[in-house]
């Protein structure tokens, strides 16, 4: 049973466009929702994270939108750049600090 | 501040062998978690160590075991290696008593089982 679902599996966006990745979770005990960016051959790096008491968090070009009642959250990358090309994982954590990852989205930003 | 480091970076083993992977946690962090990332998939939680004791385990068989040392560094041991154990093994550290759950990941060890 996949506790964190993520879509799309892959995404191609033109430079300057908006990249949108959607996630959904099952367990209402989750209280921390990070997004990780991973480049080939590297470990995941924390990009941005949100707690369920807020509906939106913005850091630079990256925005998380959170809908607690629907148990859904999404990542928006504004003004997407070729350097943003990577695999993005949404995730969810509870009090035990165990990170449950989604299956990932491979983003390609083309010039 | 030193980040999370892992060794070795790459490793090749044959079926049935045993392997030990090492992780040094970020300064000030007392909790280490290990994850297995198969090619093209998201990382899967193996187990977590907090103050030298196992503190949670994912759906992995007992041949996956670990240790945490007094300096909070950690080892992942895998016995009787199988072909499906080929993956990137990641460790992540966090400060358990902090108000945030942020975990910092190391670069991983790429294990290939032949």
């Amino acid at each position: 049973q996949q506790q964190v679902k993520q879509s799309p599996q892959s995404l191609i966006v033109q430079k300057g466009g908006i990249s949108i990745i959607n996630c959904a979770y099952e367990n209402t005990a989750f209280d921390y929702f990070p997004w990780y960016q991973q480049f080939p051959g590297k470990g995941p790096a924390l990009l941005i994270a949100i707690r369920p008491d807020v509906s939106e968090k913005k850091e630079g070009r990256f925005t998380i939108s959170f809908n607690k009642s629907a148990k859904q959250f999404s990542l928006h990358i504004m003004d997407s750049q070729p350097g943003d090309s990577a695999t993005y994982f949404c995730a969810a954590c509870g009090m035990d600090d165990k990170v449950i990852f989604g299956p990932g989205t491979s983003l390609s930003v083309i010039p | 501040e030193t980040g999370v480091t892992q060794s070795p970076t790459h490793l090749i083993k044959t079926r049935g062998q045993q392997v030990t992977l090492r992780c040094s946690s970020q300064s000030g962090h007392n909790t280490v978690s290990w994850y297995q990332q198969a090619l093209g998939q998201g990382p899967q939680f193996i187990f977590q160590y907090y103050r030298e004791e196992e503190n949670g385990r994912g759906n992995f068989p007992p041949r996956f075991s670990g240790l945490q040392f007094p300096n909070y560094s950690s080892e992942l041991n895998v016995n009787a290696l199988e072909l499906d154990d080929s993956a990137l093994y990641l460790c992540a550290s966090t400060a358990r008593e902090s108000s945030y759950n942020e975990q910092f990941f190391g670069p991983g060890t790429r294990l290939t089982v032949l």
Side-chain angles (χ1 to χ4, degrees), chain A residues 19 22 26 37 40 57 72 81 99 108:
Chain A
S19 303
N22 299 300
E26 299 287 331
Q37 180 189 56
K57 183 174 182 180
Q72 295 175 346
Q81 299 297 313
V99 184
S108 297

Side-chain angles (χ1 to χ4, degrees), chain A residues 9 31-32 36 38 41-46 51 89 93-104, chain B residues 33 35 37 40-45 48 55 57 88 90 94 96 99-103 105-108:
Chain A
Q9 185 176 6
D31 66 352
Y32 179 72
Y36 287 90
Q38 186 176 32
K42 304 292 184 181
L46 179 67
R51 293 197 180 271
F89 294 97
C93 304
M95 294 293 290
D96 58 5
D97 294 332
K98 179 173 66 175
V99 184
I100 307 298
F101 285 86
Chain B
S33 302
Y35 295 80
Q37 186 177 20
Q41 297 182 24
Q44 300 294 313
F45 175 76
Q48 182 184 89
N55 182 51
R57 187 178 186 93
L88 180 68
L90 298 160
T94 190
R96 192 68 190 266
S99 59
Y100 296 98
N101 307 65
E102 183 173 350
Q103 300 210 17
F105 282 81

Side-chain angles (χ1 to χ4, degrees), chain B residues 35-84:
Chain B
Y35 295 80
Q36 180 195 64
Q37 186 177 20
L39 199 61
Q41 297 182 24
Q44 300 294 313
F45 175 76
I46 303 175
F47 44 56
Q48 182 184 89
Y49 278 84
Y50 171 61
R51 293 186 172 177
E52 302 178 57
E53 292 194 3
E54 187 178 292
N55 182 51
R57 187 178 186 93
N59 189 26
F60 282 81
R63 59 189 184 84
F64 285 79
S65 63
L67 284 173
Q68 187 180 33
F69 300 99
N71 66 355
Y72 303 128
S73 65
S74 178
E75 285 183 355
L76 165 65
N77 299 290
V78 187
N79 294 321
L81 284 168
E82 300 176 0
L83 296 179
D84 285 349

Side-chain angles (χ1 to χ4, degrees), chain A residues 11-23:
Chain A
L11 184 60
I12 299 174
V13 174
Q14 282 205 310
K15 179 182 176 182
I18 302 173
S19 303
I20 302 174
I21 304 171
N22 299 300
C23 287

Side-chain angles (χ1 to χ4, degrees), chain A residues 19-99:
Chain A
S19 303
I20 302 174
I21 304 171
N22 299 300
C23 287
Y25 63 98
E26 299 287 331
N27 190 344
T28 56
F30 291 141
D31 66 352
Y32 179 72
F33 299 87
W35 284 87
Y36 287 90
Q37 180 189 56
Q38 186 176 32
F39 293 102
K42 304 292 184 181
L46 179 67
L47 192 62
I48 185 172
I50 196 169
R51 293 197 180 271
D53 53 347
V54 297
S55 60
E56 187 175 282
K57 183 174 182 180
K58 183 176 181 179
E59 290 183 1
R61 297 185 293 112
F62 302 92
T63 300
I64 301 177
S65 297
F66 190 88
N67 185 330
K68 187 175 180 179
S69 61
K71 294 188 285 185
Q72 295 175 346
F73 57 113
S74 61
L75 175 69
H76 291 62
I77 306 174
M78 312 299 287
D79 187 26
S80 299
Q81 299 297 313
D84 296 331
S85 298
T87 300
Y88 292 81
F89 294 97
C90 62
C93 304
M95 294 293 290
D96 58 5
D97 294 332
K98 179 173 66 175
V99 184

